[in-house]
Amino acid sequence: LSEPTMGLSEAFWHHEYWLPPGTTWEDMKGIQYPQPRDLLLCIPGALLLTALRYLFERLVALPLGRKLGVSDKPRPKVQPNATLESFYVELCRSPKEKDLISLAKQSDLSVRKVETWFRHRRAQDQPQVTKKFREASWRFIFYLTTFFSGLALLYDKPWFWDHTVCWLRFPQQPLQPALGWFYLLELSFYCSLVATLPFDVKRKDFMEQIIHHIATITLIFVSYCSNIVRFGIMVMLLHDASDYILEFAKMLHYMKWKRVCEAAFVLFAVVFITSRLVLFPLITYYYYVTKSQWYLIRYVIYTFLMVLQLLHIFWSYLIIRMIFSIIHKVENVKDARSDTEESDRSETEDLSENP
């Protein structure tokens, strides 16, 4: 490397940024602590998970969905029309009345036919139910696996139950290989989610998903490099605790098992609000904020933890709103989540993949 590159690298990894006051990288010698270069394995890891997902969705999820009655609704074909297609792609998918009149004149069609064309064209772009089921099935399997694997890794660790032990002799805490691989698996998964975002079902909280993924990847990277692995694993476990229940509720929704879906969603709501709005702030406070020594990286981690908490509040609002809609539906004995012509998604589906 050139001297300017070496200087920049040394400045970036300066011990005052990454380690508590009074600790240098020299003090870490002889300890098997996390190495930043280990995280480069997330690139082949993400590629491997993407390949596994492709195979799982087509060889397992798709046949399973068909057996469980998941099928796509027939959609009306749209007659080719260059003028309308150009307006749809380049300007607007839902033209206003004055635009409809103008397009009708240009296409030599009635306003009603132009309006119908756009409605059918929008329906054409809606993701198929089988695609949604495949995606939910993959995330369900992953979150279920990581949550119970994380529990198996942590249940016998004293620092998992006692926050005073979590920071004992920090940062000179040896990295257990199993925890390192768990970190790498989580990072690889979120990198794969970012890579496939353009191809996955786009939901109403798309921007919130992007913010969540960026915050999560940053937290995993920074906490690993600064050896804040014990706390990081607990945060990951809290987030995985409710995600697999949500994906399972989505699968039930696509199968049209409405009552069971609603019960699963209520269970998800209880676990989500408990883990994200109660346990997450408590763990962040007792395991992190109350620690006396603060330095740059700890401030960075705290900032992104607060970003996650704001997202938790936003998603909790959506969940509570959905719960009230379910209660209202039961009281009025009607389905408040009936499908429309253009979209068969419910508010359950609008929540994030890793809220």
Side-chain angles (χ1 to χ4, degrees), residues 104-119:
K105 293 179 180 178
Q106 296 177 44
S107 306
D108 195 23
L109 297 171
S110 66
V111 174
R112 185 174 180 179
K113 286 187 176 180
V114 172
E115 189 176 12
T116 301
W117 188 95
F118 275 92
R119 186 169 63 253

Side-chain angles (χ1 to χ4, degrees), residues 160-347:
F160 180 64
W161 307 99
D162 185 356
H163 70 90
T164 61
V165 182
C166 183
W167 300 94
L168 191 63
R169 293 189 295 274
F170 175 80
Q172 296 169 315
Q173 297 172 338
L175 174 66
Q176 298 179 3
L179 299 185
W181 284 110
F182 189 85
Y183 244 76
L184 184 61
L185 175 64
E186 291 276 3
L187 180 59
S188 300
F189 178 71
Y190 283 104
C191 288
S192 71
L193 287 183
V194 171
T196 58
L197 266 178
F199 313 102
D200 292 341
V201 174
K202 188 174 182 179
R203 308 190 185 281
K204 294 179 181 178
D205 61 347
F206 180 75
M207 289 307 301
E208 288 80 7
Q209 288 185 54
I210 294 178
I211 295 171
H212 175 272
H213 295 342
I214 292 174
T216 301
I217 291 173
T218 302
L219 283 170
I220 292 175
F221 173 81
V222 172
S223 62
Y224 187 85
C225 293
S226 56
N227 203 20
I228 309 181
V229 171
R230 294 181 178 181
F231 175 73
I233 288 283
M234 289 188 288
V235 172
M236 292 181 193
L237 193 63
L238 269 181
H239 282 72
D240 290 341
S242 59
D243 289 340
Y244 71 93
I245 305 176
L246 173 62
E247 300 304 331
F248 182 61
K250 291 179 182 179
M251 293 169 65
L252 293 171
H253 172 72
Y254 304 139
M255 293 157 54
K256 301 187 183 302
W257 293 13
K258 293 182 180 180
R259 299 304 180 193
V260 185
C261 169
E262 290 167 358
F265 185 78
V266 171
L267 175 62
F268 158 74
V270 171
V271 176
F272 183 94
I273 293 173
T274 302
S275 61
R276 307 294 181 91
L277 298 188
V278 179
L279 295 180
F280 179 79
L282 286 175
I283 286 180
T284 300
Y285 179 76
Y286 284 109
Y287 280 78
Y288 198 79
V289 177
T290 57
K291 303 300 108 182
S292 58
Q293 292 182 310
W294 283 79
Y295 46 98
L296 179 62
I297 288 304
R298 290 199 66 176
Y299 282 109
V300 172
I301 291 176
Y302 182 73
T303 299
F304 279 97
L305 288 174
M306 291 304 98
V307 170
L308 289 183
Q309 186 60 21
L310 291 176
L311 291 173
H312 298 163
I313 295 171
F314 168 73
W315 281 315
S316 295
Y317 162 73
L318 295 182
I319 292 169
I320 293 171
R321 189 177 68 176
M322 183 61 188
I323 293 295
F324 276 110
S325 74
I326 292 175
I327 294 173
H328 179 74
K329 186 193 71 173
V330 171
E331 291 176 349
N332 292 276
V333 197
K334 67 179 182 180
D335 187 1
R337 296 181 300 156
S338 58
D339 296 339
T340 63
E341 181 179 5
E342 295 181 18
S343 175
D344 54 9
R345 75 179 63 184
S346 70
E347 291 187 45

